[in-house]
Amino acid sequence: MRRRYLVGGGIAATTLTALLVVPAIAGAQTGGLDEDLVRSDARTALVENLAQLEDQQRTERDRALQELTFPEGTTVGAAHDFDAVRTQIDQIDTGSAWLSHTDQADPAELEWYEPGYFASIVALDWQCAWLSSAVASLASGDSVGVASASTLLRDFRDSDFADAFPDYDYFVAEYVDPLEQGDSSGADAYLGSCRPETLSH
């Protein structure tokens, strides 16, 4: 069985960190084992892995959404669908691309995400949403709205989720602070990397 580890901690405030794939754990060869048994074992492991991932994501997203309120007209981005794991289950069920040789099974790949990863994604969406709200307020001449959104973004440093963003002070200095001086150029550029659901219109 091969496990693929996807690590999401330490997401930079300025960009979403790419998932880091740690070298795979070598899988034992199946030799002359019965093909149905090989498939059953792999499918069981993959189904359990998918259930664990969905539970982790649901728990972390729910916790983050309880504490991080999005501005009106915006929302958190879609949850991750763990497509790679689902595809492997489908391949086993249909018999496609599973046994490459008569005596050796293709290894299944299980995924693991660092604890707090999914909460960090919610927090990243939240930052996008409030930065977008501040830009929209600036464009409409709403100085109170700019100040309110900017304060919320600065106060994020005191939240339980701030540890995942070691460069957050840079984010505030480069994209938040200039808004109160009437400059949205940095924020506009940053928002280009945000998910559409998080943007004010």
Side-chain angles (χ1 to χ4, degrees), residues 134-176:
V135 169
S137 292
L138 180 62
S140 66
D142 180 7
S143 60
V144 174
V146 174
S148 177
S150 297
T151 297
L152 282 171
L153 287 164
R154 292 191 187 97
D155 288 348
F156 176 81
R157 288 177 287 202
D158 299 323
S159 78
D160 293 338
F161 309 104
D163 288 346
F165 299 88
D167 299 326
Y168 194 72
D169 285 341
Y170 175 86
F171 171 84
V172 171
E174 289 294 311
Y175 309 120
V176 179

Side-chain angles (χ1 to χ4, degrees), residues 87-162:
T87 296
Q88 291 180 82
I89 295 172
D90 289 343
Q91 288 175 339
I92 294 174
D93 289 344
T94 61
S96 64
W98 181 245
L99 291 183
S100 56
H101 304 287
T102 56
D103 62 348
Q104 181 174 334
D106 294 333
E109 288 190 353
L110 306 182
E111 294 185 356
W112 177 86
Y113 290 80
E114 181 176 338
Y117 174 83
F118 300 106
S120 297
I121 298 302
V122 173
L124 188 60
D125 285 349
W126 180 90
Q127 293 163 25
C128 283
W130 280 107
L131 186 65
S132 177
S133 177
V135 169
S137 292
L138 180 62
S140 66
D142 180 7
S143 60
V144 174
V146 174
S148 177
S150 297
T151 297
L152 282 171
L153 287 164
R154 292 191 187 97
D155 288 348
F156 176 81
R157 288 177 287 202
D158 299 323
S159 78
D160 293 338
F161 309 104

